[in-house]
Amino acid sequence: MKNISRRSFGKSVAVSTAAALSGISLPGIALGAQPDADHLRYRFPKGFIWGCATAAYQVEGGAKEGGRGPSVWDTFSHTPGKTHNGDTGDIADDSYHLYKEDVQLLKNLGVQGHRMSISWSRIFPEGKGTPNPAGLDYYSRVIDELLANKITPYVTLFHWDLPDALPGGWQNRDTPKAFADYCAYVTKHLGDRVKHWMTINEFICYTDLGYRVGQFAPGLRLGPAEANQVRHHGVLAHGLGLKAVRANTPTGTQVGLAEDAKVYVPVMETKEHIEAARKAARAENGMFLTAVMEGKYPDSYLEKEGANAPKIGPGDMEAIGGKVDFVGLNIYDPNFAQASDSKWGYSVVPMPTSYPHMASPWLNMGPEGIYWGVRNVVDLWKVPAIYITENGTSSDDVINSAGRIEDIDRVMFLRNYLTQLHRATAEGYPVKGYFLWSLLDNFEWADGFSKRFGLHYVDYKTQKRTPKLSAEWYKQVIAQNAVV
Ligand code: NOJ
């Protein structure tokens, strides 16, 4: 099926549905049960990039090898009581040594792209100062291996593993500057081969969860003013990093970020609720994505925080609002919004306790979220390109007596989200690619190894990787460029 434009989409569905209901045949189209009927398939646009996503600390291991310095996650995970079962990323999936095997897993899936991250403290063990050539060599080899297998690397520069040596971490205004220097160094050396960069992954997880809630590294519980300042340094790092990447890479390099923007689904698809969901998306992401897209904090955020609002230095907002080439969205659980006569024109609907979720209790199942996540961002800010930089689910995977992992709940989850993503592409939203989280089961942060998100089951004792049913399914999706 050709990509249907927004205008013709409704019409084409109406014709097929009416014909199917009446039981008649259209010329050349056999109606009824027709799993191969191409015109009815949820087919993605030509050139759509399918991939998987991973992150350095979650898969690499080799924590003390190749001159790597400790990150805040090493320190945090080695602190008793901080992670499930005291799990750490010391070994994780041992991809530091097994990366060639992992590239073959990707190749076997047929992906066109792979999203990975670079560990800052492998490159600068102290966070700044003297770089460690062995760290850069490692990533250079990984990138060459991907390219040799015709897989395009999409590289994230920061996925939460802040070098522990940096004084004050994200509380210190010098950290965004150190991040920019690290970005400059890495992109200068790898930018000949890497053409797609993401500065930062998920602001809220290393700012709020790390410094306000204490659930993630470094595990602090600061008050609101200090926590807002950490958020500000988080977005400033993106802005300064963006500038550094641009200055050190050839023209045509694409730079963006990967953000788990809060997604708002309208309670029903009527004009007023659709508008309310869009307003909610702008206001509720005020401290992160809205600031990045608009180069200013929206009034709703500043008013809510009052005297606790961040202190902004000269030039900060200009840097934060630097133009990105794409927005990467990590889409998991949805939120719901409805129209209201409140000051900002929307209200967020509380999630009922009976709302269905996946193996991770926070992961509410909301396929429409992937459609509305894309739509709200494009409608609000007219971004030229969107990637789904993460989407996937944990599942209570078991190996059955035949040695298979039949993770039909993961397949159900993915199939529903992709069907909704198809809706976005069919309506003309510029979604360029999709990176499934994750290639492998891996270190799921505070949940340690208790939650499995991979398409491949990892036996952490032997490091054996076994493809799950979802891997077979995703391989078909990629081969057919369609939901299967
Ligand atoms: C988003 C994060 O980027 C990733 O590191 C994490 O494992 C997944 N969500 C699943 O929680």
Side-chain angles (χ1 to χ4, degrees), residues 163-177:
D164 206 21
L166 287 171
W170 287 112
Q171 285 185 268
N172 189 338
R173 208 184 137 81
D174 290 342
T175 297
K177 168 78 178 58

Side-chain angles (χ1 to χ4, degrees), residues 38-74:
D38 214 44
H39 64 293
L40 293 178
R41 302 287 300 282
Y42 292 117
R43 190 175 291 287
F44 282 78
K46 200 157 173 271
F48 193 80
I49 303 290
W50 296 102
C52 289
T54 57
Y57 190 69
Q58 295 180 271
V59 298
E60 280 177 8
K64 293 196 174 140
E65 293 183 61
R68 177 181 178 276
S71 78
V72 293
W73 268 97
D74 294 86

Side-chain angles (χ1 to χ4, degrees), residues 148 168 266 332:
Y332 291 94

Side-chain angles (χ1 to χ4, degrees), residues 98-111:
L98 301 179
Y99 69 90
K100 288 191 179 172
E101 189 179 320
D102 293 343
V103 171
Q104 287 313 303
L105 298 179
L106 288 163
K107 191 178 177 189
N108 183 50
L109 289 171
V111 299

Side-chain angles (χ1 to χ4, degrees), residues 139-160:
Y139 292 110
S140 189
R141 289 196 302 275
V142 174
I143 283 157
D144 285 346
E145 189 68 17
L146 287 167
L147 291 170
N149 285 279
K150 302 198 168 27
I151 299 168
T152 304
Y154 287 70
V155 178
T156 312
L157 287 150
F158 180 68
H159 201 123
W160 312 350

